[in-house]
């Protein structure tokens, strides 16, 4: 076998055995089974989710309150750097509501939060359209959360979705 400089002497190959930090974090550094996750790690994660979901109503309520305050500030503001920053904060809060709501069974609130997040991220409409569409999303999230309606296919859910769709279709 020839090496890269044309000689017959084989090149030396160095092998580095790197530590898989993810396996260490999961308690699997000596476990070679593919896809195996330590049962204790699963139980610990489940306990963390249960604790998070116990606080979910307070967290979502706080996020919705903060969204309302930010929207009140942003609603009539002309295009500006400040409006853009508030829009980013609304995006982040909507994303948090979507994540927590989905994990803890607030599926309808999460649905509208995700829709609002995507609308803010992907759409650059005029201020009048933003006023109507963002307000429709906020109102729907608040109604779903306050009424405790979290089934995404209930009659109330379908009506809220219809109202948001009308706002989007009319102003997009």
């Amino acid at each position: 076998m020839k090496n890269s400089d044309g000689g017959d002497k084989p090149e030396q190959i160095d092998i580095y055995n790197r530590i898989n930090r993810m396996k260490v974090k999961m308690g699997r550094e000596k476990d070679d089974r593919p896809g195996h996750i330590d049962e204790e790690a699963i139980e610990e994660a489940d306990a963390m989710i249960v604790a998070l979901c116990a606080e979910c109503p307070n967290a979502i309520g706080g996020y919705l309150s903060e969204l309302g305050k930010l929207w009140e500030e942003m609603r009539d503001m002309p295009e500006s750097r400040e409006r853009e920053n508030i829009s980013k904060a609304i995006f982040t809060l909507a994303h948090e509501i979507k994540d927590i709501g989905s994990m803890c069974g607030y599926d309808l609130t999460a649905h509208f939060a995700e829709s609002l997040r995507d609308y803010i991220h992907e759409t650059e409409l005029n201020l009048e359209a933003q006023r109507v569409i963002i307000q429709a999303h906020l109102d729907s999230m608040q109604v779903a959360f306050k009424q405790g309606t979290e089934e995404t296919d209930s009659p109330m859910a379908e009506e809220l979705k219809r109202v948001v769709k009308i706002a989007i279709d009319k102003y997009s």
Side-chain angles (χ1 to χ4, degrees), residues 104-135:
C104 298
Y106 290 84
D107 296 332
L108 186 58
T109 302
H111 168 81
F112 290 118
E114 182 176 17
S115 178
L116 175 60
R117 180 204 65 188
D118 292 347
Y119 168 75
I120 288 174
H121 178 69
E122 297 169 359
T123 311
E124 291 185 27
L125 297 176
N126 63 51
L127 296 181
E128 180 183 0
Q130 286 183 358
R131 281 187 196 101
V132 173
I133 294 171
I134 292 174
Q135 189 66 57

Side-chain angles (χ1 to χ4, degrees), residues 1 14 55 58-60 73 96 102 110 117 129-130 150 160-161 163 168 172:
M1 172 184 237
D14 294 329
E55 293 298 317
N58 292 335
I60 289 178
E73 187 178 341
E96 289 292 324
S102 294
R117 180 204 65 188
Q130 286 183 358
E150 293 307 328
L160 291 171
K161 288 178 186 178
V163 169
I168 292 171
S172 293

Side-chain angles (χ1 to χ4, degrees), residues 8-156:
D8 285 333
K9 185 176 177 185
E11 291 183 21
Q12 182 175 345
I13 298 173
D14 294 329
I15 298 175
Y16 296 95
N17 292 318
R18 301 193 67 198
I19 295 173
N20 184 333
R21 303 273 181 223
M22 184 61 78
K23 281 187 173 184
V24 173
K25 287 181 182 181
M26 294 172 53
R28 293 190 50 213
E29 61 267 17
K30 299 198 184 339
D31 186 351
D32 290 332
R33 292 178 292 172
H36 176 74
I37 299 175
D38 183 52
E39 292 299 319
E40 288 179 23
I42 292 172
E43 290 171 10
E44 184 179 330
D46 285 344
M48 291 171 69
I49 291 170
V50 167
L52 174 73
C53 289
E55 293 298 317
C56 188
N58 292 335
I60 289 178
Y63 287 147
L64 287 173
S65 177
E66 184 65 23
L67 268 177
K69 290 174 188 172
L70 288 170
W71 175 237
E72 187 73 30
E73 187 178 341
M74 181 182 143
R75 182 179 339 178
D76 296 319
M77 187 180 283
E79 289 290 337
S80 65
R81 185 63 140 167
E82 185 180 5
R83 182 182 176 86
E84 186 179 319
N85 289 336
I86 294 171
S87 177
K88 288 177 184 177
I90 289 174
F91 171 90
T92 301
L93 285 171
H95 186 75
E96 289 292 324
I97 292 170
K98 190 257 326 161
D99 284 351
I100 292 173
S102 294
M103 190 175 356
C104 298
Y106 290 84
D107 296 332
L108 186 58
T109 302
H111 168 81
F112 290 118
E114 182 176 17
S115 178
L116 175 60
R117 180 204 65 188
D118 292 347
Y119 168 75
I120 288 174
H121 178 69
E122 297 169 359
T123 311
E124 291 185 27
L125 297 176
N126 63 51
L127 296 181
E128 180 183 0
Q130 286 183 358
R131 281 187 196 101
V132 173
I133 294 171
I134 292 174
Q135 189 66 57
H137 280 91
L138 291 176
D139 290 346
S140 295
M141 278 190 285
Q142 290 174 339
V143 167
F145 181 70
K146 288 180 182 175
Q147 294 296 319
T149 305
E150 293 307 328
E151 300 83 27
T152 56
D153 59 352
S154 70
M156 179 186 275

